[in-house]
Amino acid sequence: MDTYKKPYVIAEIGCNHKGDINIAKELIKVAKIFCNADAVKFQKRNNKELLTEAQYNEPHPNPANSYGDTYGAHREFLEFNLHQHGELKAFCEEIGIDYSTSVWDLTSAKEIASLHPKFIKIPSACNNNIKMLEWLCKNYKGELHISTGMTTKDEIDDLVSLFKKHNRNKDLVLYNCTSGYPVPFEDVCLLDINILKEKYGDDVKHIGFSGHHLGIAVDIAAFTLGANIIERHYTLDRTWKGTDHAASLEPMGLRKLSRDLTAVHDALNFKSKDILPIEQEQRDKLKNKKG
């Protein structure tokens, strides 16, 4: 029996497209053709709804990464409208990769739900937006993926209870996550995957892992521990301007991650017999037959 579910790799583009839909399409194409990812994921925000007036009008905390004179202007510059998201989804369908988006507020959730993607992601920062979660449970029929960064154990319990109440827990994917960019290895806390599996493995559809660390070794371990959905930030150039690029994988890193996850999945099984056919030839040739 196949104990381990097949790995599913999500290339999180987020806002790494720099507000340029042509760069977004290039990222999609490379994720599919070169990196062999299963899905790409963007972000959708209604910034006037999400930010207070003061937050909207204050300067970006790191001006070197800003695409506008204020934080609000920066966020608006990086935002695609619903029509553009529809264009990106159609492009994904054309080349055969799943499209998804993280939604940061109720308005964005309603807009993206109207496109009927395979799944919608709720980021760690928004997993306590009960109004948005309730609306999605009642009105959106696809999978709902939720990260658990900066979230207490009690809050995760409440999340799963909410999905059970709406009979949507079998559409729920819970991600182990530490919110930081980048996250040092000692703060990744991979063994929390065991907690999610033990407490919720029978109640939810999948356990996932959303990593903001460096390299790809940790993701392989996450899969081996039981997180079959692996999400990583992804960019064409880690030196580009923006907060997330430095904690992202470039195409070769994502390609190697997809390759290694497939290899490990194929290797995670038991011997079907004491001496495998591949071993028999070596046994006949090499094993000492003398008494």
Side-chain angles (χ1 to χ4, degrees):
M1 189 181 80
D2 187 4
T3 307
Y4 286 86
K5 298 174 182 177
K6 187 179 179 185
Y8 183 87
V9 178
I10 302 170
E12 180 173 1
I13 295 168
C15 298
N16 283 348
H17 48 70
K18 303 196 291 185
D20 186 327
I21 197 160
N22 291 317
I23 292 176
K25 288 181 178 178
E26 183 71 13
L27 280 157
I28 293 169
K29 191 162 60 174
V30 172
K32 166 64 180 179
I33 297 169
F34 183 72
C35 305
N36 299 309
D38 298 289
V40 293
K41 186 171 71 65
F42 294 92
Q43 294 181 12
K44 188 84 179 81
R45 291 171 169 89
N46 182 309
N47 295 299
K48 291 284 177 68
E49 180 178 336
L50 189 61
L51 302 170
T52 65
E53 190 174 349
Q55 288 172 327
Y56 194 94
N57 291 314
E58 68 187 8
H60 191 289
N62 186 349
N65 283 327
S66 185
Y67 286 90
D69 293 334
T70 65
Y71 186 69
H74 160 77
R75 290 258 52 107
E76 299 291 9
F77 184 89
L78 294 172
E79 199 63 42
F80 290 144
N81 61 35
L82 182 59
H83 174 77
Q84 289 172 308
H85 275 279
E87 188 179 335
L88 293 172
K89 181 172 183 279
F91 186 72
C92 287
E93 289 167 353
E94 187 182 316
I95 67 171
I97 191 169
D98 291 336
Y99 158 93
S100 185
T101 296
S102 291
V103 294
W104 287 69
D105 53 81
L106 181 57
T107 299
S108 297
K110 290 178 177 179
E111 288 183 333
I112 295 302
S114 73
L115 297 176
H116 308 292
K118 178 179 177 179
F119 68 95
I120 287 176
K121 179 81 184 293
I122 292 92
S124 298
C126 307
N127 66 20
N128 60 346
N129 186 337
I130 303 303
K131 189 175 180 182
M132 181 173 76
L133 294 174
E134 294 265 5
W135 188 91
L136 285 166
C137 282
K138 293 173 184 174
N139 297 281
Y140 169 70
K141 301 306 179 191
E143 293 177 5
L144 288 159
H145 294 208
I146 302 186
S147 277
T148 59
M150 46 186 170
T151 305
T152 69
K153 301 289 193 296
D154 287 344
E155 287 169 337
I156 298 172
D157 271 342
D158 291 342
L159 267 175
V160 176
S161 295
L162 183 150
F163 275 76
K164 282 183 170 179
K165 184 178 81 173
H166 291 285
N167 294 315
R168 295 301 308 277
N169 52 294
K170 288 299 183 181
D171 296 316
L172 175 61
V173 178
L174 275 183
Y175 287 71
N176 177 42
C177 177
T178 297
S179 299
Y181 304 89
V183 174
F185 293 122
E186 62 268 24
D187 289 336
V188 173
C189 303
L190 273 185
L191 294 181
D192 275 19
I193 291 171
N194 291 340
I195 297 173
L196 292 177
K197 273 189 66 181
E198 287 163 15
K199 290 183 76 173
Y200 311 114
D202 293 335
D203 292 328
V204 304
K205 185 164 189 176
H206 299 294
I207 300 298
F209 174 68
S210 178
H212 305 133
H213 53 280
L214 301 178
I216 59 174
V218 167
D219 307 271
I220 305 302
F223 173 68
T224 307
L225 287 169
N228 64 302
I229 314 284
I230 304 292
E231 173 188 274
R232 288 298 304 272
H233 282 268
Y234 151 71
T235 183
L236 295 178
D237 187 341
R238 293 178 69 244
T239 68
W240 276 353
K241 184 171 82 171
T243 307
D244 290 345
H245 294 286
S248 300
L249 294 176
E250 289 182 342
M252 184 55 79
L254 189 62
R255 177 185 174 93
K256 288 179 177 178
L257 175 59
S258 297
R259 176 201 68 191
D260 290 354
L261 284 168
T262 299
V264 170
H265 175 256
D266 291 346
L268 284 168
N269 52 35
F270 295 98
K271 281 193 171 183
S272 56
K273 53 182 8 180
D274 284 347
I275 309 298
L276 293 173
I278 195 172
E279 294 179 302
Q280 189 62 53
E281 182 182 349
Q282 305 307 318
R283 181 182 171 92
D284 293 344
K285 183 169 65 175
L286 302 174
K287 202 88 168 180
N288 189 348
K289 297 186 181 67
K290 292 181 179 177

